[in-house]
Amino acid sequence: MIGKRLKGARTAAGLSLRALSDAIDNKVSAQAIGKYERDEDMPRSGVLIVLARQLGVSVDYLISDDELELEGVEFRKAASSSAKEVATIEAKTLNMVEKYLAVEGLLNLSSQEWDAPREAPYWVGEPRDAEDAARNLRAAWQLGHDPIPMLSELLEERGIKVMSLDVDRIDGLAAQVRRKDTRSTRVIMIKRHTWSERKRFSLAHELGHIVLNVAEGCDSERAANRFAGAFLIPAEVLRQEMGARRTDISIGELISLKDRFGVSIQAIAYRCKDLEIITQATFARLFEIFTDRGWRNEPFEEPHSIKWDVEEPDRFQRLCFRALSEGLIGLSRTAELLEIRVRELEERLDFVA
């Protein structure tokens, strides 16, 4: 039965029952689609093909009985994000994971297991404890104190599936995807079209949700933020660069630190405040400058901003190209998996070659 998958694909497309019926030229009514989703009826093959095409999925996807469910979902999102927006992002993420796992299956790749450190999850009784968690994770992964050049690639290497989606008021999501008769898959989704320094912080923030066990009564978002700052900018390195205490700091110095660590100027200011390198008064004065210069509002363009595609996850695309090269899928199926047109796929392949 296709009900759950059809409803998920429709939600991911942001369509109501009526809008989907209109989009397929009313080949079936909204009421009929509702019956399909409740598994009270099954569409004819022609209708099934039209629905799949309109929703950007394959017929095989709609009729598959491989049940996937998101568990333990954590968002980094605007407070004003609606329940509908959240449901749409969850559906899109699940749809993307399905495609990811399908390509791995075509290539006979066992889905890479999450490389959880032995000590994880790290207990956090207050946000400051996340500092130790970040330090311990860096040690477990043998990262030293150096800046991390490509965080999305590092997380993929550690068994976390990283995906980017075109979303608006949601910067990131972390979750487990439970599969029938197999272990859960760890997933992080990030906003595609935003500056890469923001992507990097979102990735580290969502990693925090994965590795932290936050005590009841402790703000999990503050803990994940503290973890992200500590993971991307180790305290020892920042104090060595800036000193233990500062009465002031220039914008030029913050830009230089941004170039080194690949995080936003604002994130560095927060980090300096958390480590008590600067006072609350200095921090407030800096944020007045950030606000005056428009860096705290869309499109969040600070000096030396890093283009969106620098920190773009790439493993799924590489697997799709490999499956295509090995003759396991054709051009149209590859374009469908990557959610692009065939012409764009051909251009990418030519560029890669």
mmCIF file with all atom_site columns, all heavy atoms in Angstrom, residues 31-54:
data_model
loop_
_atom_site.group_PDB
_atom_site.id
_atom_site.type_symbol
_atom_site.label_atom_id
_atom_site.label_alt_id
_atom_site.label_comp_id
_atom_site.label_asym_id
_atom_site.label_entity_id
_atom_site.label_seq_id
_atom_site.pdbx_PDB_ins_code
_atom_site.Cartn_x
_atom_site.Cartn_y
_atom_site.Cartn_z
_atom_site.occupancy
_atom_site.B_iso_or_equiv
_atom_site.pdbx_formal_charge
_atom_site.auth_seq_id
_atom_site.auth_comp_id
_atom_site.auth_asym_id
_atom_site.auth_atom_id
_atom_site.pdbx_PDB_model_num
ATOM 1   N N   . GLN A 1 31 ? -10.451 14.038 -3.022  1.00 0.00 ? 31 GLN A N   1
ATOM 2   C CA  . GLN A 1 31 ? -11.016 12.999 -2.169  1.00 0.00 ? 31 GLN A CA  1
ATOM 3   C C   . GLN A 1 31 ? -10.405 11.634 -2.497  1.00 0.00 ? 31 GLN A C   1
ATOM 4   O O   . GLN A 1 31 ? -10.130 10.830 -1.602  1.00 0.00 ? 31 GLN A O   1
ATOM 5   C CB  . GLN A 1 31 ? -12.540 12.947 -2.341  1.00 0.00 ? 31 GLN A CB  1
ATOM 6   C CG  . GLN A 1 31 ? -13.285 14.148 -1.784  1.00 0.00 ? 31 GLN A CG  1
ATOM 7   C CD  . GLN A 1 31 ? -13.207 15.383 -2.692  1.00 0.00 ? 31 GLN A CD  1
ATOM 8   O OE1 . GLN A 1 31 ? -12.732 15.289 -3.827  1.00 0.00 ? 31 GLN A OE1 1
ATOM 9   N NE2 . GLN A 1 31 ? -13.665 16.518 -2.186  1.00 0.00 ? 31 GLN A NE2 1
ATOM 10  N N   . ALA A 1 32 ? -10.187 11.378 -3.792  1.00 0.00 ? 32 ALA A N   1
ATOM 11  C CA  . ALA A 1 32 ? -9.591  10.100 -4.193  1.00 0.00 ? 32 ALA A CA  1
ATOM 12  C C   . ALA A 1 32 ? -8.156  9.982  -3.688  1.00 0.00 ? 32 ALA A C   1
ATOM 13  O O   . ALA A 1 32 ? -7.743  8.924  -3.202  1.00 0.00 ? 32 ALA A O   1
ATOM 14  C CB  . ALA A 1 32 ? -9.629  9.961  -5.715  1.00 0.00 ? 32 ALA A CB  1
ATOM 15  N N   . ILE A 1 33 ? -7.396  11.088 -3.794  1.00 0.00 ? 33 ILE A N   1
ATOM 16  C CA  . ILE A 1 33 ? -6.024  11.074 -3.301  1.00 0.00 ? 33 ILE A CA  1
ATOM 17  C C   . ILE A 1 33 ? -6.010  10.829 -1.793  1.00 0.00 ? 33 ILE A C   1
ATOM 18  O O   . ILE A 1 33 ? -5.170  10.097 -1.269  1.00 0.00 ? 33 ILE A O   1
ATOM 19  C CB  . ILE A 1 33 ? -5.304  12.392 -3.650  1.00 0.00 ? 33 ILE A CB  1
ATOM 20  C CG1 . ILE A 1 33 ? -5.208  12.555 -5.168  1.00 0.00 ? 33 ILE A CG1 1
ATOM 21  C CG2 . ILE A 1 33 ? -3.894  12.420 -3.038  1.00 0.00 ? 33 ILE A CG2 1
ATOM 22  C CD1 . ILE A 1 33 ? -4.694  13.909 -5.612  1.00 0.00 ? 33 ILE A CD1 1
ATOM 23  N N   . GLY A 1 34 ? -6.970  11.440 -1.090  1.00 0.00 ? 34 GLY A N   1
ATOM 24  C CA  . GLY A 1 34 ? -7.089  11.206 0.345   1.00 0.00 ? 34 GLY A CA  1
ATOM 25  C C   . GLY A 1 34 ? -7.311  9.737  0.651   1.00 0.00 ? 34 GLY A C   1
ATOM 26  O O   . GLY A 1 34 ? -6.757  9.191  1.621   1.00 0.00 ? 34 GLY A O   1
ATOM 27  N N   . LYS A 1 35 ? -8.124  9.061  -0.162  1.00 0.00 ? 35 LYS A N   1
ATOM 28  C CA  . LYS A 1 35 ? -8.352  7.626  0.023   1.00 0.00 ? 35 LYS A CA  1
ATOM 29  C C   . LYS A 1 35 ? -7.074  6.823  -0.222  1.00 0.00 ? 35 LYS A C   1
ATOM 30  O O   . LYS A 1 35 ? -6.791  5.857  0.500   1.00 0.00 ? 35 LYS A O   1
ATOM 31  C CB  . LYS A 1 35 ? -9.455  7.143  -0.916  1.00 0.00 ? 35 LYS A CB  1
ATOM 32  C CG  . LYS A 1 35 ? -10.853 7.576  -0.516  1.00 0.00 ? 35 LYS A CG  1
ATOM 33  C CD  . LYS A 1 35 ? -11.890 6.946  -1.413  1.00 0.00 ? 35 LYS A CD  1
ATOM 34  C CE  . LYS A 1 35 ? -13.299 7.303  -0.956  1.00 0.00 ? 35 LYS A CE  1
ATOM 35  N NZ  . LYS A 1 35 ? -14.335 6.662  -1.810  1.00 0.00 ? 35 LYS A NZ  1
ATOM 36  N N   . TYR A 1 36 ? -6.276  7.228  -1.237  1.00 0.00 ? 36 TYR A N   1
ATOM 37  C CA  . TYR A 1 36 ? -5.008  6.544  -1.473  1.00 0.00 ? 36 TYR A CA  1
ATOM 38  C C   . TYR A 1 36 ? -4.108  6.668  -0.240  1.00 0.00 ? 36 TYR A C   1
ATOM 39  O O   . TYR A 1 36 ? -3.460  5.702  0.178   1.00 0.00 ? 36 TYR A O   1
ATOM 40  C CB  . TYR A 1 36 ? -4.266  7.139  -2.673  1.00 0.00 ? 36 TYR A CB  1
ATOM 41  C CG  . TYR A 1 36 ? -5.019  7.149  -3.985  1.00 0.00 ? 36 TYR A CG  1
ATOM 42  C CD1 . TYR A 1 36 ? -4.727  8.100  -4.970  1.00 0.00 ? 36 TYR A CD1 1
ATOM 43  C CD2 . TYR A 1 36 ? -6.029  6.222  -4.251  1.00 0.00 ? 36 TYR A CD2 1
ATOM 44  C CE1 . TYR A 1 36 ? -5.397  8.123  -6.176  1.00 0.00 ? 36 TYR A CE1 1
ATOM 45  C CE2 . TYR A 1 36 ? -6.712  6.240  -5.466  1.00 0.00 ? 36 TYR A CE2 1
ATOM 46  C CZ  . TYR A 1 36 ? -6.388  7.204  -6.415  1.00 0.00 ? 36 TYR A CZ  1
ATOM 47  O OH  . TYR A 1 36 ? -7.063  7.233  -7.612  1.00 0.00 ? 36 TYR A OH  1
ATOM 48  N N   . GLU A 1 37 ? -4.073  7.882  0.333   1.00 0.00 ? 37 GLU A N   1
ATOM 49  C CA  . GLU A 1 37 ? -3.187  8.131  1.476   1.00 0.00 ? 37 GLU A CA  1
ATOM 50  C C   . GLU A 1 37 ? -3.641  7.378  2.719   1.00 0.00 ? 37 GLU A C   1
ATOM 51  O O   . GLU A 1 37 ? -2.823  7.049  3.580   1.00 0.00 ? 37 GLU A O   1
ATOM 52  C CB  . GLU A 1 37 ? -3.092  9.636  1.759   1.00 0.00 ? 37 GLU A CB  1
ATOM 53  C CG  . GLU A 1 37 ? -2.390  10.410 0.662   1.00 0.00 ? 37 GLU A CG  1
ATOM 54  C CD  . GLU A 1 37 ? -2.179  11.880 0.999   1.00 0.00 ? 37 GLU A CD  1
ATOM 55  O OE1 . GLU A 1 37 ? -2.652  12.326 2.070   1.00 0.00 ? 37 GLU A OE1 1
ATOM 56  O OE2 . GLU A 1 37 ? -1.532  12.587 0.198   1.00 0.00 ? 37 GLU A OE2 1
ATOM 57  N N   . ARG A 1 38 ? -4.933  7.106  2.813   1.00 0.00 ? 38 ARG A N   1
ATOM 58  C CA  . ARG A 1 38 ? -5.437  6.333  3.956   1.00 0.00 ? 38 ARG A CA  1
ATOM 59  C C   . ARG A 1 38 ? -5.460  4.841  3.668   1.00 0.00 ? 38 ARG A C   1
ATOM 60  O O   . ARG A 1 38 ? -5.951  4.047  4.467   1.00 0.00 ? 38 ARG A O   1
ATOM 61  C CB  . ARG A 1 38 ? -6.856  6.818  4.316   1.00 0.00 ? 38 ARG A CB  1
ATOM 62  C CG  . ARG A 1 38 ? -6.914  8.247  4.831   1.00 0.00 ? 38 ARG A CG  1
ATOM 63  C CD  . ARG A 1 38 ? -8.306  8.589  5.378   1.00 0.00 ? 38 ARG A CD  1
ATOM 64  N NE  . ARG A 1 38 ? -9.352  8.503  4.367   1.00 0.00 ? 38 ARG A NE  1
ATOM 65  C CZ  . ARG A 1 38 ? -9.698  9.494  3.557   1.00 0.00 ? 38 ARG A CZ  1
ATOM 66  N NH1 . ARG A 1 38 ? -9.060  10.662 3.626   1.00 0.00 ? 38 ARG A NH1 1
ATOM 67  N NH2 . ARG A 1 38 ? -10.668 9.343  2.663   1.00 0.00 ? 38 ARG A NH2 1
ATOM 68  N N   . ASP A 1 39 ? -4.919  4.465  2.502   1.00 0.00 ? 39 ASP A N   1
ATOM 69  C CA  . ASP A 1 39 ? -4.884  3.064  2.070   1.00 0.00 ? 39 ASP A CA  1
ATOM 70  C C   . ASP A 1 39 ? -6.275  2.452  1.992   1.00 0.00 ? 39 ASP A C   1
ATOM 71  O O   . ASP A 1 39 ? -6.473  1.251  2.221   1.00 0.00 ? 39 ASP A O   1
ATOM 72  C CB  . ASP A 1 39 ? -3.984  2.222  2.996   1.00 0.00 ? 39 ASP A CB  1
ATOM 73  C CG  . ASP A 1 39 ? -2.508  2.528  2.797   1.00 0.00 ? 39 ASP A CG  1
ATOM 74  O OD1 . ASP A 1 39 ? -2.110  2.793  1.652   1.00 0.00 ? 39 ASP A OD1 1
ATOM 75  O OD2 . ASP A 1 39 ? -1.762  2.505  3.793   1.00 0.00 ? 39 ASP A OD2 1
ATOM 76  N N   . GLU A 1 40 ? -7.245  3.293  1.624   1.00 0.00 ? 40 GLU A N   1
ATOM 77  C CA  . GLU A 1 40 ? -8.606  2.810  1.406   1.00 0.00 ? 40 GLU A CA  1
ATOM 78  C C   . GLU A 1 40 ? -8.831  2.456  -0.060  1.00 0.00 ? 40 GLU A C   1
ATOM 79  O O   . GLU A 1 40 ? -9.847  1.843  -0.414  1.00 0.00 ? 40 GLU A O   1
ATOM 80  C CB  . GLU A 1 40 ? -9.617  3.881  1.831   1.00 0.00 ? 40 GLU A CB  1
ATOM 81  C CG  . GLU A 1 40 ? -9.582  4.189  3.320   1.00 0.00 ? 40 GLU A CG  1
ATOM 82  C CD  . GLU A 1 40 ? -10.474 5.375  3.687   1.00 0.00 ? 40 GLU A CD  1
ATOM 83  O OE1 . GLU A 1 40 ? -11.076 5.960  2.762   1.00 0.00 ? 40 GLU A OE1 1
ATOM 84  O OE2 . GLU A 1 40 ? -10.553 5.698  4.881   1.00 0.00 ? 40 GLU A OE2 1
ATOM 85  N N   . ASP A 1 41 ? -7.886  2.840  -0.910  1.00 0.00 ? 41 ASP A N   1
ATOM 86  C CA  . ASP A 1 41 ? -7.991  2.562  -2.343  1.00 0.00 ? 41 ASP A CA  1
ATOM 87  C C   . ASP A 1 41 ? -6.590  2.601  -2.924  1.00 0.00 ? 41 ASP A C   1
ATOM 88  O O   . ASP A 1 41 ? -5.646  3.115  -2.290  1.00 0.00 ? 41 ASP A O   1
ATOM 89  C CB  . ASP A 1 41 ? -8.891  3.596  -3.019  1.00 0.00 ? 41 ASP A CB  1
ATOM 90  C CG  . ASP A 1 41 ? -9.358  3.153  -4.397  1.00 0.00 ? 41 ASP A CG  1
ATOM 91  O OD1 . ASP A 1 41 ? -9.030  2.013  -4.792  1.00 0.00 ? 41 ASP A OD1 1
ATOM 92  O OD2 . ASP A 1 41 ? -10.028 3.948  -5.086  1.00 0.00 ? 41 ASP A OD2 1
ATOM 93  N N   . MET A 1 42 ? -6.436  2.065  -4.138  1.00 0.00 ? 42 MET A N   1
ATOM 94  C CA  . MET A 1 42 ? -5.137  2.039  -4.817  1.00 0.00 ? 42 MET A CA  1
ATOM 95  C C   . MET A 1 42 ? -5.305  2.667  -6.194  1.00 0.00 ? 42 MET A C   1
ATOM 96  O O   . MET A 1 42 ? -6.236  2.330  -6.928  1.00 0.00 ? 42 MET A O   1
ATOM 97  C CB  . MET A 1 42 ? -4.655  0.591  -4.959  1.00 0.00 ? 42 MET A CB  1
ATOM 98  C CG  . MET A 1 42 ? -3.261  0.461  -5.516  1.00 0.00 ? 42 MET A CG  1
ATOM 99  S SD  . MET A 1 42 ? -2.001  0.957  -4.328  1.00 0.00 ? 42 MET A SD  1
ATOM 100 C CE  . MET A 1 42 ? -0.515  0.681  -5.313  1.00 0.00 ? 42 MET A CE  1
ATOM 101 N N   . PRO A 1 43 ? -4.423  3.623  -6.551  1.00 0.00 ? 43 PRO A N   1
ATOM 102 C CA  . PRO A 1 43 ? -4.568  4.269  -7.868  1.00 0.00 ? 43 PRO A CA  1
ATOM 103 C C   . PRO A 1 43 ? -4.253  3.318  -9.016  1.00 0.00 ? 43 PRO A C   1
ATOM 104 O O   . PRO A 1 43 ? -3.450  2.396  -8.878  1.00 0.00 ? 43 PRO A O   1
ATOM 105 C CB  . PRO A 1 43 ? -3.551  5.414  -7.809  1.00 0.00 ? 43 PRO A CB  1
ATOM 106 C CG  . PRO A 1 43 ? -2.534  4.966  -6.815  1.00 0.00 ? 43 PRO A CG  1
ATOM 107 C CD  . PRO A 1 43 ? -3.288  4.166  -5.797  1.00 0.00 ? 43 PRO A CD  1
ATOM 108 N N   . ARG A 1 44 ? -4.903  3.561  -10.156 1.00 0.00 ? 44 ARG A N   1
ATOM 109 C CA  . ARG A 1 44 ? -4.562  2.835  -11.367 1.00 0.00 ? 44 ARG A CA  1
ATOM 110 C C   . ARG A 1 44 ? -3.120  3.146  -11.758 1.00 0.00 ? 44 ARG A C   1
ATOM 111 O O   . ARG A 1 44 ? -2.561  4.176  -11.356 1.00 0.00 ? 44 ARG A O   1
ATOM 112 C CB  . ARG A 1 44 ? -5.493  3.224  -12.519 1.00 0.00 ? 44 ARG A CB  1
ATOM 113 C CG  . ARG A 1 44 ? -6.976  3.040  -12.221 1.00 0.00 ? 44 ARG A CG  1
ATOM 114 C CD  . ARG A 1 44 ? -7.807  3.316  -13.466 1.00 0.00 ? 44 ARG A CD  1
ATOM 115 N NE  . ARG A 1 44 ? -7.463  4.599  -14.087 1.00 0.00 ? 44 ARG A NE  1
ATOM 116 C CZ  . ARG A 1 44 ? -7.975  5.755  -13.740 1.00 0.00 ? 44 ARG A CZ  1
ATOM 117 N NH1 . ARG A 1 44 ? -8.844  5.830  -12.734 1.00 0.00 ? 44 ARG A NH1 1
ATOM 118 N NH2 . ARG A 1 44 ? -7.634  6.858  -14.376 1.00 0.00 ? 44 ARG A NH2 1
ATOM 119 N N   . SER A 1 45 ? -2.522  2.315  -12.569 1.00 0.00 ? 45 SER A N   1
ATOM 120 C CA  . SER A 1 45 ? -1.108  2.484  -12.930 1.00 0.00 ? 45 SER A CA  1
ATOM 121 C C   . SER A 1 45 ? -0.861  3.831  -13.591 1.00 0.00 ? 45 SER A C   1
ATOM 122 O O   . SER A 1 45 ? 0.137   4.501  -13.318 1.00 0.00 ? 45 SER A O   1
ATOM 123 C CB  . SER A 1 45 ? -0.657  1.351  -13.858 1.00 0.00 ? 45 SER A CB  1
ATOM 124 O OG  . SER A 1 45 ? -1.442  1.324  -15.039 1.00 0.00 ? 45 SER A OG  1
ATOM 125 N N   . GLY A 1 46 ? -1.783  4.278  -14.461 1.00 0.00 ? 46 GLY A N   1
ATOM 126 C CA  . GLY A 1 46 ? -1.602  5.565  -15.127 1.00 0.00 ? 46 GLY A CA  1
ATOM 127 C C   . GLY A 1 46 ? -1.631  6.722  -14.154 1.00 0.00 ? 46 GLY A C   1
ATOM 128 O O   . GLY A 1 46 ? -0.837  7.669  -14.262 1.00 0.00 ? 46 GLY A O   1
ATOM 129 N N   . VAL A 1 47 ? -2.530  6.666  -13.176 1.00 0.00 ? 47 VAL A N   1
ATOM 130 C CA  . VAL A 1 47 ? -2.607  7.706  -12.155 1.00 0.00 ? 47 VAL A CA  1
ATOM 131 C C   . VAL A 1 47 ? -1.368  7.681  -11.277 1.00 0.00 ? 47 VAL A C   1
ATOM 132 O O   . VAL A 1 47 ? -0.815  8.723  -10.903 1.00 0.00 ? 47 VAL A O   1
ATOM 133 C CB  . VAL A 1 47 ? -3.882  7.526  -11.298 1.00 0.00 ? 47 VAL A CB  1
ATOM 134 C CG1 . VAL A 1 47 ? -3.884  8.505  -10.127 1.00 0.00 ? 47 VAL A CG1 1
ATOM 135 C CG2 . VAL A 1 47 ? -5.124  7.703  -12.151 1.00 0.00 ? 47 VAL A CG2 1
ATOM 136 N N   . LEU A 1 48 ? -0.902  6.474  -10.957 1.00 0.00 ? 48 LEU A N   1
ATOM 137 C CA  . LEU A 1 48 ? 0.296   6.325  -10.136 1.00 0.00 ? 48 LEU A CA  1
ATOM 138 C C   . LEU A 1 48 ? 1.505   6.980  -10.804 1.00 0.00 ? 48 LEU A C   1
ATOM 139 O O   . LEU A 1 48 ? 2.300   7.683  -10.159 1.00 0.00 ? 48 LEU A O   1
ATOM 140 C CB  . LEU A 1 48 ? 0.571   4.840  -9.889  1.00 0.00 ? 48 LEU A CB  1
ATOM 141 C CG  . LEU A 1 48 ? 1.639   4.486  -8.869  1.00 0.00 ? 48 LEU A CG  1
ATOM 142 C CD1 . LEU A 1 48 ? 1.279   5.007  -7.484  1.00 0.00 ? 48 LEU A CD1 1
ATOM 143 C CD2 . LEU A 1 48 ? 1.840   2.965  -8.818  1.00 0.00 ? 48 LEU A CD2 1
ATOM 144 N N   . ILE A 1 49 ? 1.631   6.788  -12.102 1.00 0.00 ? 49 ILE A N   1
ATOM 145 C CA  . ILE A 1 49 ? 2.745   7.380  -12.846 1.00 0.00 ? 49 ILE A CA  1
ATOM 146 C C   . ILE A 1 49 ? 2.653   8.909  -12.820 1.00 0.00 ? 49 ILE A C   1
ATOM 147 O O   . ILE A 1 49 ? 3.657   9.604  -12.609 1.00 0.00 ? 49 ILE A O   1
ATOM 148 C CB  . ILE A 1 49 ? 2.743   6.866  -14.302 1.00 0.00 ? 49 ILE A CB  1
ATOM 149 C CG1 . ILE A 1 49 ? 3.126   5.373  -14.326 1.00 0.00 ? 49 ILE A CG1 1
ATOM 150 C CG2 . ILE A 1 49 ? 3.712   7.678  -15.167 1.00 0.00 ? 49 ILE A CG2 1
ATOM 151 C CD1 . ILE A 1 49 ? 2.917   4.715  -15.673 1.00 0.00 ? 49 ILE A CD1 1
ATOM 152 N N   . VAL A 1 50 ? 1.451   9.442  -13.020 1.00 0.00 ? 50 VAL A N   1
ATOM 153 C CA  . VAL A 1 50 ? 1.256   10.892 -13.029 1.00 0.00 ? 50 VAL A CA  1
ATOM 154 C C   . VAL A 1 50 ? 1.558   11.475 -11.652 1.00 0.00 ? 50 VAL A C   1
ATOM 155 O O   . VAL A 1 50 ? 2.213   12.525 -11.534 1.00 0.00 ? 50 VAL A O   1
ATOM 156 C CB  . VAL A 1 50 ? -0.180  11.239 -13.469 1.00 0.00 ? 50 VAL A CB  1
ATOM 157 C CG1 . VAL A 1 50 ? -0.459  12.723 -13.256 1.00 0.00 ? 50 VAL A CG1 1
ATOM 158 C CG2 . VAL A 1 50 ? -0.388  10.879 -14.931 1.00 0.00 ? 50 VAL A CG2 1
ATOM 159 N N   . LEU A 1 51 ? 1.099   10.819 -10.593 1.00 0.00 ? 51 LEU A N   1
ATOM 160 C CA  . LEU A 1 51 ? 1.362   11.297 -9.232  1.00 0.00 ? 51 LEU A CA  1
ATOM 161 C C   . LEU A 1 51 ? 2.857   11.309 -8.943  1.00 0.00 ? 51 LEU A C   1
ATOM 162 O O   . LEU A 1 51 ? 3.394   12.276 -8.396  1.00 0.00 ? 51 LEU A O   1
ATOM 163 C CB  . LEU A 1 51 ? 0.632   10.409 -8.225  1.00 0.00 ? 51 LEU A CB  1
ATOM 164 C CG  . LEU A 1 51 ? -0.888  10.562 -8.129  1.00 0.00 ? 51 LEU A CG  1
ATOM 165 C CD1 . LEU A 1 51 ? -1.486  9.447  -7.283  1.00 0.00 ? 51 LEU A CD1 1
ATOM 166 C CD2 . LEU A 1 51 ? -1.259  11.927 -7.550  1.00 0.00 ? 51 LEU A CD2 1
ATOM 167 N N   . ALA A 1 52 ? 3.533   10.223 -9.305  1.00 0.00 ? 52 ALA A N   1
ATOM 168 C CA  . ALA A 1 52 ? 4.975   10.134 -9.056  1.00 0.00 ? 52 ALA A CA  1
ATOM 169 C C   . ALA A 1 52 ? 5.727   11.230 -9.802  1.00 0.00 ? 52 ALA A C   1
ATOM 170 O O   . ALA A 1 52 ? 6.616   11.883 -9.243  1.00 0.00 ? 52 ALA A O   1
ATOM 171 C CB  . ALA A 1 52 ? 5.492   8.759  -9.475  1.00 0.00 ? 52 ALA A CB  1
ATOM 172 N N   . ARG A 1 53 ? 5.351   11.453 -11.067 1.00 0.00 ? 53 ARG A N   1
ATOM 173 C CA  . ARG A 1 53 ? 6.034   12.481 -11.862 1.00 0.00 ? 53 ARG A CA  1
ATOM 174 C C   . ARG A 1 53 ? 5.833   13.864 -11.246 1.00 0.00 ? 53 ARG A C   1
ATOM 175 O O   . ARG A 1 53 ? 6.765   14.651 -11.134 1.00 0.00 ? 53 ARG A O   1
ATOM 176 C CB  . ARG A 1 53 ? 5.524   12.449 -13.298 1.00 0.00 ? 53 ARG A CB  1
ATOM 177 C CG  . ARG A 1 53 ? 6.230   13.440 -14.225 1.00 0.00 ? 53 ARG A CG  1
ATOM 178 C CD  . ARG A 1 53 ? 5.669   13.377 -15.636 1.00 0.00 ? 53 ARG A CD  1
ATOM 179 N NE  . ARG A 1 53 ? 5.822   12.060 -16.218 1.00 0.00 ? 53 ARG A NE  1
ATOM 180 C CZ  . ARG A 1 53 ? 4.807   11.316 -16.667 1.00 0.00 ? 53 ARG A CZ  1
ATOM 181 N NH1 . ARG A 1 53 ? 3.566   11.774 -16.593 1.00 0.00 ? 53 ARG A NH1 1
ATOM 182 N NH2 . ARG A 1 53 ? 5.024   10.128 -17.190 1.00 0.00 ? 53 ARG A NH2 1
ATOM 183 N N   . GLN A 1 54 ? 4.603   14.165 -10.830 1.00 0.00 ? 54 GLN A N   1
ATOM 184 C CA  . GLN A 1 54 ? 4.299   15.471 -10.269 1.00 0.00 ? 54 GLN A CA  1
ATOM 185 C C   . GLN A 1 54 ? 5.026   15.689 -8.940  1.00 0.00 ? 54 GLN A C   1
ATOM 186 O O   . GLN A 1 54 ? 5.474   16.800 -8.630  1.00 0.00 ? 54 GLN A O   1
ATOM 187 C CB  . GLN A 1 54 ? 2.791   15.616 -10.053 1.00 0.00 ? 54 GLN A CB  1
ATOM 188 C CG  . GLN A 1 54 ? 2.371   16.945 -9.471  1.00 0.00 ? 54 GLN A CG  1
ATOM 189 C CD  . GLN A 1 54 ? 2.752   18.117 -10.355 1.00 0.00 ? 54 GLN A CD  1
ATOM 190 O OE1 . GLN A 1 54 ? 2.553   18.073 -11.574 1.00 0.00 ? 54 GLN A OE1 1
ATOM 191 N NE2 . GLN A 1 54 ? 3.310   19.166 -9.773  1.00 0.00 ? 54 GLN A NE2 1
#
